[in-house]
Amino acid sequence: MACLFVLAVQLARVCLLADTKDQQMTLAEEIPDGTEVSVSGTVEWVREKEKITAVCLRKNQVRYAGTILKESKLVVCIRPDQLKEQLNIGDKVIAEGEKESFDAARNPGNFDQKEYYRKQGIHVKVRADTLEKQSEKSLLYDRIKNEMWKWRKKLSGQLQTKMGSYYGGTMSAILLGEKSGLDEEMRKLYQKNGMGHLLAISGLHMSLIGMGLYSFLRKAGTSFFTAGMAGSSFLLLYTGMTGNGIASQRAWIMFAMRMGAEITGREYDALTGLAAAAVWICIWFYRLKERRTEKEQRKTKSRERWMGVPGILLVCLSVLLPGSCWLMHQVQGQVTVTVLDVGQGDGICIRMPGGKNCLIDGGSSDVSSVGAYRIEPYLLYCGIRNIDYAFVSHGDEDHISGIRELLEDQRLGIGIRTLVLPAEEYWDEKLKELAVLAAENGTRIAEIHAGEQVVDGTGEQKMSLRCIGPEMGLSESGNAASMVLQAEYGNFSMLLTGDVEGAGEKQLVKSGRLGKCRILKAAHHGSKNSGTEEFLDAVEPQIVLISAGRGNRYGHPHEETLERLKSRNCQVYSTQQCGAVTIQSDGKKLFFSRKCGGGGSD
């Protein structure tokens, strides 16, 4: 009961009175990206990978433009071949390089690197050219931590040497929490079969190791006190060696309380142990911000008015009720279109009102493994395990690379039931290879021609996804022959154009199939030759969505295209600035939201 009381107080403080410390923006974080800086600090941890070594430094001094700033923690990234000597935890080092910011999630469900490091009190990273030791003197705590880290590396190496990289990497993850050598297919097998928790150092490990050691010592004739202290101390070192994760801390606290019950002759209560662990984690990982600006103090005073049970109930209801309504509304009667941020490429997910899921293209030319890191996490976030129809507009890599990944991995990942391609006369080598890959992995292949459509739902809740191009006999191939789709659902209408431009746009206008659409997905990432005056006259879009990579070398979207859209008072949303853009409609009203801030309705 005492633990629950402390948790309630901490919950009120964090949720209603103040922001957590990790949300405070530091001075070093305000330094422009790409600025040359010099950093000196103490090594907190080292993570070695094949292409990069990440070093976390604490108690840092950041020198920039003649100014010295203090930064509690930051990460230095450097290539392994640039490290001249072995680093140890506790070493004093100095590094020089460019300041960079961590990336926020660009799509719902994607890994948020910025938030991940913020929760650890890390706001800045430096892409270093040099990193040198200044001193090897360290505290006793650092020396112990360093020895544990060396043991972890040594044991992991021995496991992989004796058992091979495949099985040794798996055992390293299970026994040591070292997942860098874990085979990706093995990881997915654990997750798909609901056994992913076995790869986290937690209660199962503590029970087997701790209780095994305790029982062995008791049978050997040692006292309760000696056996209990030995088991607790050994597991404390094991927790530190395996990374000191939250799950392992929770398990160690509960184990230590169980040993306390054994030593004192009392009965162990699991709920009390769990509550005590929750208090420790809550206080340790959610410390309050000590300093607040005048603006933040005014916010705090406003929140204080809502303290107490009524305030907590109001917060719960404000979250649960809209969330429940949104989930219920997602099932049927609503279309959801999300233009994913896949970098320089296209990837559009459509959830139709009758429950069918469609993917329109899926690829990137500047984001590696875009299927694994951008598309699949979003689909899983939305609870989508199977794509009913995956449409491919044409064979460029920035439209198919992610779909290729999904096809290759659908045994463990997202399934694709039907791959929909343009008429076979427009297939290039890439599309032919994609069709073969789909057939090998059990996916049905279908062609779609101008005038054909996919329909989902019935009556007033019927949505159509109609192909309006390319026309048969179009002499030009490539971008101009991209598949063009028009989605309609009540008052909702959207044109999906692939990379069609030039002759392709002219052919669409002449075909008579092109109608007015309120929403336009700009062709070819907003290139100079897309969105001609004649084409825009026929479509008359009010909202234009552009999928393009940040800082892409093509200069997309082109300034002339943006000027043409601006002259027509179009609302333009680009994934460069907005991240993923989601549009929802019940056939009457329209609501849109952006991953990187803001939303609205009409």
Side-chain angles (χ1 to χ4, degrees):
M1 292 302 294
C3 291
L4 292 176
F5 175 76
V6 173
L7 285 172
V9 171
Q10 185 72 352
L11 176 66
R13 292 175 65 201
V14 172
C15 295
L16 301 176
L17 288 180
D19 296 329
T20 54
K21 186 177 181 180
D22 55 82
Q23 297 300 319
Q24 186 177 12
M25 193 170 185
T26 65
L27 294 174
E29 196 174 1
E30 297 176 359
I31 299 174
D33 287 353
T35 302
E36 289 289 333
V37 298
S38 175
V39 178
S40 59
T42 303
V43 176
E44 177 78 6
W45 49 253
V46 181
R47 293 173 184 166
E48 299 171 327
K49 295 186 178 181
E50 183 179 352
K51 296 182 179 180
I52 202 77
T53 296
V55 183
C56 178
L57 304 181
R58 67 173 188 266
K59 297 181 180 179
N60 300 282
Q61 286 189 337
V62 181
R63 293 172 175 83
Y64 139 76
T67 305
I68 299 179
L69 305 176
K70 291 185 177 180
E71 185 78 7
S72 60
K73 285 185 180 181
L74 55 79
V75 169
V76 174
C77 297
I78 188 168
R79 294 203 315 269
D81 59 350
Q82 293 177 311
L83 275 175
K84 298 179 181 179
E85 49 191 330
Q86 178 66 42
L87 293 178
N88 296 306
I89 295 172
D91 287 348
K92 308 288 185 182
V93 300
I94 184 168
E96 295 182 351
E98 294 184 353
K99 178 263 177 180
E100 293 183 2
S101 298
F102 292 107
D103 289 329
R106 303 294 297 175
N107 302 294
N110 285 187
F111 174 67
D112 195 327
Q113 186 187 53
K114 186 174 184 178
E115 187 66 14
Y116 171 78
Y117 281 105
R118 274 187 179 275
K119 291 300 183 184
Q120 302 176 53
I122 302 172
H123 300 75
V124 175
K125 69 176 174 180
V126 176
R127 186 73 60 177
D129 301 316
T130 62
L131 191 151
E132 298 178 355
K133 284 186 184 181
Q134 289 182 309
S135 169
E136 294 186 358
K137 294 181 180 180
S138 58
L139 301 173
L140 176 61
Y141 168 78
D142 286 330
R143 291 199 294 270
I144 295 173
K145 189 176 179 181
N146 188 62
E147 288 302 316
M148 293 297 99
W149 173 58
K150 286 183 176 179
W151 268 100
R152 184 185 188 185
K153 287 176 57 180
K154 183 178 179 180
L155 292 171
S156 178
Q158 289 181 348
L159 284 170
Q160 296 194 43
T161 300
K162 301 293 185 182
M163 304 180 67
S165 59
Y166 185 78
Y167 294 106
T170 303
M171 293 306 297
S172 293
I174 293 174
L175 297 177
L176 305 172
E178 179 57 65
K179 298 184 179 67
S180 59
L182 181 63
D183 181 78
E184 189 60 32
E185 183 177 2
M186 179 68 79
R187 185 199 302 268
K188 287 192 174 183
L189 280 170
Y190 271 91
Q191 293 172 344
K192 192 175 182 70
N193 288 282
M195 299 187 298
H197 62 283
L198 295 178
L199 301 177
I201 306 299
S202 60
L204 178 64
H205 301 73
M206 300 302 186
S207 298
L208 291 174
I209 298 172
M211 290 305 298
L213 177 60
Y214 173 77
S215 300
F216 173 79
L217 291 175
R218 284 291 298 130
K219 288 181 179 179
T222 59
S223 64
F224 284 105
F225 179 81
T226 302
M229 291 301 295
S232 299
S233 300
F234 179 80
L235 283 187
L236 182 60
L237 293 174
Y238 177 72
T239 299
M241 183 184 71
T242 56
N244 204 30
I246 294 178
S248 56
Q249 286 194 37
R250 185 268 307 165
W252 180 82
I253 291 171
M254 295 182 69
F255 178 83
M257 292 194 70
R258 179 168 184 173
M259 291 299 98
E262 294 283 342
I263 291 170
T264 58
R266 302 188 66 177
E267 187 173 338
Y268 170 67
D269 177 53
L271 288 178
T272 300
L274 183 62
V279 167
W280 165 257
I281 292 170
C282 184
I283 293 175
W284 180 256
F285 290 96
Y286 296 92
R287 299 182 296 274
L288 287 179
K289 182 164 54 178
E290 296 177 359
R291 298 179 181 176
R292 304 175 194 155
T293 63
E294 183 179 346
K295 184 177 179 180
E296 290 169 335
Q297 288 174 354
R298 287 200 297 268
K299 290 180 180 179
T300 298
K301 290 180 180 179
S302 175
R303 280 192 287 261
E304 285 174 348
R305 298 172 188 169
W306 295 95
M307 271 297 293
V309 175
I312 295 174
L313 289 175
L314 181 61
V315 170
C316 293
L317 289 173
S318 65
V319 173
L320 292 175
L321 290 180
S324 300
C325 293
W326 182 82
L327 287 172
M328 291 172 64
H329 206 52
Q330 284 289 96
V331 177
Q332 62 179 26
Q334 178 170 289
V335 58
T336 301
V337 179
T338 300
V339 179
L340 297 172
D341 182 352
V342 292
Q344 185 65 13
D346 267 11
I348 303 164
C349 181
I350 300 179
R351 306 186 72 178
M352 303 177 85
K356 284 188 171 61
N357 298 302
C358 302
L359 184 64
I360 316 297
D361 288 330
S364 178
S365 61
D366 64 350
V367 175
S368 59
S369 302
V370 67
Y373 295 120
R374 295 288 180 97
I375 300 174
E376 184 174 346
Y378 168 78
L379 296 174
L380 293 176
Y381 171 81
C382 295
I384 299 174
R385 289 288 180 177
N386 289 285
I387 298 293
D388 294 288
Y389 299 99
F391 294 84
V392 175
S393 62
H394 62 299
D396 285 357
E397 278 295 300
D398 59 339
H399 291 252
I400 69 171
S401 61
I403 288 181
R404 184 191 298 118
E405 288 180 54
L406 296 181
L407 287 171
E408 291 173 339
D409 194 44
Q410 61 180 327
R411 182 174 68 89
L412 299 175
I414 303 295
I416 297 179
R417 293 193 172 106
T418 303
L419 180 68
V420 185
L421 302 176
E424 190 170 359
E425 65 179 279
Y426 298 116
W427 290 12
D428 57 12
E429 288 303 316
K430 293 286 187 180
L431 287 183
K432 291 177 182 176
E433 292 172 3
L434 195 68
V436 171
L437 180 64
E440 291 174 347
N441 287 276
T443 295
R444 186 172 71 95
I445 302 164
E447 294 179 44
I448 192 168
H449 304 85
E452 297 177 340
Q453 63 182 351
V454 171
V455 178
D456 187 44
T458 57
E460 295 181 357
Q461 295 183 350
K462 184 167 69 175
M463 176 182 176
S464 65
L465 195 57
R466 183 164 53 95
C467 178
I468 63 172
E471 288 283 346
M472 298 294 289
L474 181 67
S475 59
E476 187 174 345
S477 59
N479 289 344
S482 291
M483 180 195 300
V484 180
L485 300 170
Q486 184 168 322
E488 293 183 341
Y489 179 53
N491 293 330
F492 169 85
S493 58
M494 182 174 182
L495 189 65
L496 302 146
T497 53
D499 276 357
V500 69
E501 57 181 1
E505 284 192 354
K506 291 181 181 179
Q507 183 68 33
L508 282 173
V509 174
K510 291 179 181 178
S511 70
R513 299 183 189 276
L514 187 63
K516 294 179 173 55
C517 284
R518 188 175 182 184
I519 305 166
L520 168 68
K521 200 289 294 183
H524 202 194
H525 323 291
S527 67
K528 181 179 179 179
N529 298 322
S530 67
T532 60
E533 296 287 354
E534 184 182 15
F535 179 79
L536 293 176
D537 286 339
V539 179
E540 295 185 5
Q542 298 174 17
I543 298 172
V544 178
L545 309 177
I546 301 176
S547 178
R550 291 178 290 172
N552 66 83
R553 59 191 177 95
Y554 307 101
H556 295 159
H558 198 276
E559 192 61 35
E560 289 185 22
T561 303
L562 294 175
E563 286 297 325
R564 286 197 294 271
L565 296 173
K566 186 185 295 184
S567 67
R568 295 170 179 270
N569 297 318
C570 295
Q571 299 178 50
V572 180
Y573 300 97
S574 171
T575 57
Q576 290 174 319
Q577 288 79 38
C578 304
V581 180
T582 298
I583 296 176
Q584 296 173 312
S585 176
D586 59 0
K588 299 175 182 177
K589 294 182 179 180
L590 194 70
F591 176 82
F592 70 91
S593 61
R594 296 165 280 180
K595 175 58 181 174
C596 299
S601 59
D602 191 8

